[in-house]
Amino acid sequence: MKTNLRKFRFEKGDLSQQELADLVNVSRQTIVAIEKGDYNLSVKLALLLAEKLGTTVEELFKLEEKDYV
Amino acid sequence: MFKWDKLSWIAAGIFISGVILGILNNYFFGLMIAAYLLRPTLLAFGGGKKYADERQSAIQFQSGNISLTVVIVAMFILNIVEESEGGPGDKYNGIIILALATKAIVGLIMLRDYKTAGFRTGFFMGLLLSLFILFSAGFQPFGFLIASPGFLIILLSWLGLKKPMLVAVVFVVFGFAAGIWRALFFANNLPFEANALTTLLISIPLLVTAFFFYKGAQAEKGEKTELAAESGN
């Protein structure tokens, strides 16, 4: 899964990972893992992130070829 | 690493109390474990959701599975060591069964499939009881005769899939009867471990099975009411 979280974080006034983590009530390590693509987050957290960053889940996360296997 | 939050402070408080108590006696280890287990236990029981990080919860789940396997392997090794020292070699089997049964039953409860949970609990309890008696008394007619309560429990568990409420009542009676019978005739002659194990492996599973069948019957009733309401619309 390709993630644009980092891009949207910077577009939203250079939010730090910790600031974003606090906004959605998770740890900074969880944001790091999502940005690296190491963690498949829940729908709830995806929706919360999209809402806080003023975008949509589809803009934040995109499926890649390997995800269809 | 976890976010440092209110739960972390509580855990730290318990840990420090453990260290202070450690100066006074040897029970400090229990408190230190309690401090460590505070968060995952709370989360597992649906508490402290405000402090739950979903990735950390997923990691807790995976590490919990690994630690279960490690503990079970350790129990097997302890059994082997005990046997090599002339002991019975099955001292830790009860703990292994307890761990596996808890995992299986909790899984079924979370699926909210109470009737299947009742059937499996009763079936495996009956099977273990029959096998335990047969291995002790031998696979001969007398062995099969005294193992018959185990076969009856298996049969009733299967019947519970069709008549859950009736079987729930029968298992409640069996569960209390087994507890009273043990208390009257065996409690004073058996060591504490044997008493606890018998209660754990016979009376409690019977009552748990009864509870599952009762909940299964209730769920069935609810489904029928819902279906009737839907067809009425």
Side-chain angles (χ1 to χ4, degrees), chain B:
Chain B
M1 222 182 110
F2 282 112
K3 274 197 307 176
W4 191 267
D5 53 29
K6 201 173 163 186
L7 281 184
S8 314
W9 284 112
I10 297 171
I14 297 172
F15 188 86
I16 293 164
S17 312
V19 175
I20 294 166
L21 279 175
I23 302 164
L24 304 172
N25 63 40
N26 287 324
Y27 297 118
F28 69 99
F29 188 57
L31 273 179
M32 286 179 182
I33 293 173
Y36 174 71
L37 290 179
L38 177 69
R39 184 185 298 271
T41 311
L42 262 179
L43 293 180
F45 284 102
K49 279 185 180 158
K50 196 177 149 192
Y51 308 104
D53 177 305
E54 62 172 55
R55 183 168 154 267
Q56 285 164 354
S57 300
I59 292 168
Q60 287 286 350
F61 163 74
Q62 281 182 322
S63 59
N65 275 339
I66 294 166
S67 67
L68 176 71
T69 310
V70 169
V71 168
I72 288 173
V73 171
M75 292 290 150
F76 271 119
I77 294 169
L78 285 173
N79 269 341
I80 293 166
V81 171
E82 200 200 11
E83 200 172 13
S84 70
E85 288 170 352
D90 59 358
K91 193 175 166 184
Y92 301 98
N93 284 355
I95 300 170
I96 296 173
I97 291 167
L98 177 68
L100 292 177
T102 305
K103 187 171 165 54
I105 291 169
V106 169
L108 287 166
I109 293 172
M110 288 174 86
L111 282 172
R112 298 196 181 277
D113 189 354
Y114 292 108
K115 252 188 352 181
T116 312
F119 169 70
R120 289 194 189 166
T121 315
F123 178 85
F124 282 107
M125 188 240 155
L127 186 71
L128 282 173
L129 185 66
S130 317
L131 286 175
F132 177 76
I133 295 171
L134 282 170
F135 278 121
S136 309
F139 286 79
Q140 47 182 315
F142 178 69
F144 282 100
L145 183 72
I146 58 170
S148 55
F151 300 134
L152 182 64
I153 290 167
I154 294 173
L155 189 71
L156 281 169
S157 303
W158 174 76
L159 188 68
L161 290 170
K162 292 173 174 51
K163 301 270 178 199
M165 190 54 98
L166 174 74
V167 174
V169 174
V170 175
F171 273 132
V172 166
V173 174
F174 274 20
F176 280 112
I180 293 165
W181 188 64
R182 184 188 53 76
L184 285 178
F185 298 107
F186 294 103
N188 296 329
N189 305 327
L190 291 173
F192 172 76
E193 292 89 348
N195 263 322
L197 201 66
T198 336
T199 309
L200 201 73
L201 297 179
I202 298 177
S203 294
I204 291 175
L206 283 170
L207 295 174
V208 167
T209 308
F211 171 75
F212 285 150
F213 279 133
Y214 167 73
K215 291 288 285 181
Q218 273 193 325
E220 221 171 47
K221 206 172 151 189
E223 277 168 26
K224 275 180 192 164
T225 316
E226 270 176 34
L227 279 174
E230 271 177 27
S231 58
N233 289 336

